[in-house]
Amino acid sequence: MLLAIDAGNTNVVFALLDGREVKGRWRIATDPRRTADEYAVWLTQLLGIEGYQRSDVTGVIISTVVPRATHNLEWLSAKYFDRTPLIAGQKGAEWGIAIDVQEPQSLGADRAVNAVAAHALHEGDLIVIDFGTATTVDWIDYRGAYKGGIIAPGINLSLDALVSAAAKLPRIAIEAPADPTVIGRDTVSQMQIGIYWGYIAMIEGLVARMKAEVARPVTVVATGGLAVLFEKHTTIFDTIEPDLTIQGLAMMWERAHA
């Protein structure tokens, strides 16, 4: 079984896969100071709850946008799973697609992995929207090349900035307002409208502009935990792939061992 690790800016996601079937998925807050020993205690317990042991893991692949976390994750793999991990984008786990931008080395590993997976799963030109710490909107062309994209503040980051900068504004849950009106009658409803409908308007506007530039039929793929929340009130998503990054890591592992 494969242990796929996706280290993002907010959370580190661990997924256990049998082929491409996700058997277990766990997340922990990203902390570059967290040691391999700490990861091991936490992960071993969760594996056991699901009926698995460390010895069930026969391979490890890591994608990370947090360089300081990489060493401890590599050491976790070596010490507790007795496996030398593949690092997405490095020797043995090259992208296998063209990164057609001015600074290809600066592209986040998660976005490259998403491009690999999206191209394998869908034909034609693609726009991939990933709702994470940042919200990214990326264009992958019909040949599978990563052509560029957009980085915007994630919705949680936007809300945190608003609440921390305005002393009288309360912290609210991110959810669709109960009433479809965009004229709020109290502070909380006005904040919900601004955050939720404002974010939908931003995404719809960016996708429309990107489609106009691509000037070919495009499939819009959404991923990230909040994609389902926005799906209720927008029609811009053609499909939602909640495990796109994890599936991309599994594909890269398969290719490396073909």
Side-chain angles (χ1 to χ4, degrees):
M1 302 185 80
L2 174 66
L3 181 65
I5 304 173
D6 176 26
N9 288 298
T10 302
N11 293 303
V12 183
V13 177
F14 294 79
L16 188 66
L17 298 102
D18 185 358
R20 295 187 189 175
E21 182 182 357
V22 178
K23 294 294 189 179
R25 186 192 300 101
W26 309 279
R27 62 182 62 228
I28 191 169
T30 301
D31 183 350
R33 299 169 300 176
R34 200 182 310 277
T35 67
D37 301 328
E38 290 174 301
Y39 280 123
V41 170
W42 172 82
L43 186 56
T44 299
Q45 291 181 2
L46 290 171
L47 285 167
I49 290 172
E50 299 293 334
Y52 298 104
Q53 302 177 27
R54 293 201 313 268
S55 59
D56 293 324
V57 173
T58 56
V60 179
I61 186 167
I62 300 169
S63 168
T64 178
V65 295
V66 186
R68 288 179 57 204
T70 305
H71 172 74
N72 286 331
L73 291 171
E74 289 182 290
W75 187 235
L76 167 72
S77 178
K79 182 177 180 181
Y80 289 99
F81 295 98
D82 194 27
R83 303 293 168 184
T84 300
L86 289 180
I87 308 297
Q90 297 185 18
K91 185 177 180 180
E94 293 83 359
W95 300 128
I97 61 171
I99 308 296
D100 187 14
V101 292
Q102 291 182 356
E103 299 176 343
Q105 72 281 357
S106 68
L107 179 65
D110 53 345
R111 299 168 77 184
V113 173
N114 284 348
V116 170
H119 177 65
L121 293 171
H122 303 282
E123 296 181 349
D125 287 89
L126 307 170
I127 292 175
V128 178
I129 309 172
D130 190 349
F131 295 95
T133 305
T135 294
T136 56
V137 187
D138 294 314
W139 171 31
I140 296 91
D141 76 6
Y142 62 94
R143 297 165 297 185
Y146 176 88
K147 303 294 286 187
I150 299 163
I151 301 173
I155 191 167
N156 282 297
L157 196 61
S158 299
L159 180 58
D160 288 344
L162 179 64
V163 172
S164 64
K168 294 185 68 176
L169 294 182
R171 180 161 295 281
I172 62 170
I174 297 173
E175 58 187 3
D179 192 318
T181 182
V182 293
I183 302 175
R185 303 282 287 172
D186 59 74
T187 298
V188 169
S189 67
Q190 290 174 11
M191 290 177 68
Q192 288 177 330
I193 290 165
I195 289 293
Y196 188 84
W197 290 116
Y199 220 76
I200 284 181
M202 180 190 77
I203 293 300
E204 289 178 339
L206 292 176
V207 168
R209 286 174 175 267
M210 189 175 284
K211 282 183 173 181
E213 288 193 39
V214 174
R216 290 191 296 266
V218 174
T219 298
V220 178
V221 181
T223 190
L226 290 173
V228 174
L229 174 64
F230 294 119
E231 182 191 25
K232 298 176 182 177
H233 291 99
T234 183
T235 59
I236 63 166
F237 307 148
D238 293 306
T239 184
I240 295 180
E241 303 281 0
D243 290 317
L244 191 64
T245 310
I246 296 301
Q247 291 297 325
L249 288 173
M251 293 173 190
M252 294 179 70
W253 175 267
E254 291 171 1
R255 188 176 63 207
H257 292 84

